[in-house]
Amino acid sequence: MFDAIEAEVEPGTIENTVLDGLRGEREEVIADLRDPILGDLIEAELGRAIERFEITKLETLLALADRMELPSAVVDPLERTKAEAENGLEEHQELTEI
């Protein structure tokens, strides 16, 4: 995918304070819980939050790709990843429906 934009950028891990905050909050809440069902709900909430965050980031990347008129070799993987995140969000929501 990165070859398609002809840039000398190496893909790598990016630190993200939002995700770090979500994980930290989860750890604090889980540490205080005694009920495993509540723990499962917290895990599902974290999953939903991460999927929503990922979808938002992918929407931004897709908008940038469109504006830059990047080729389908860049856009297609982003669209697939966004669809996967949307499916993941739907699955997390189904897990917690009562």
Side-chain angles (χ1 to χ4, degrees):
M1 173 169 67
F2 290 95
D3 294 338
I5 59 174
E6 299 177 10
E8 294 189 26
V9 176
E10 291 294 320
T13 303
I14 297 174
E15 296 296 319
N16 189 290
T17 55
V18 173
L19 292 177
D20 290 343
L22 289 171
R23 288 184 192 109
E25 182 180 316
R26 175 192 149 268
E27 293 299 323
E28 288 177 24
V29 173
I30 294 280
D32 293 336
L33 291 178
R34 306 259 188 261
D35 184 342
I37 293 173
L38 292 177
D40 291 345
L41 289 173
I42 297 299
E43 293 292 344
E45 175 59 27
L46 175 66
R48 284 194 307 267
I50 289 171
E51 296 295 356
R52 285 185 181 115
F53 180 73
E54 184 177 0
I55 291 165
T56 300
K57 289 296 186 179
L58 287 161
E59 288 170 345
T60 300
L61 290 172
L62 285 164
L64 289 170
D66 181 57
R67 187 159 192 154
M68 295 171 67
E69 298 178 357
L70 295 178
S72 63
V74 173
V75 174
D76 292 349
L78 292 172
E79 288 176 342
R80 280 193 303 274
T81 303
K82 182 177 174 255
E84 291 169 5
E86 289 169 338
N87 289 336
L89 177 59
E90 193 173 301
E91 289 173 11
H92 281 288
Q93 288 171 329
E94 289 173 2
L95 287 174
T96 56
E97 286 180 0
I98 298 176

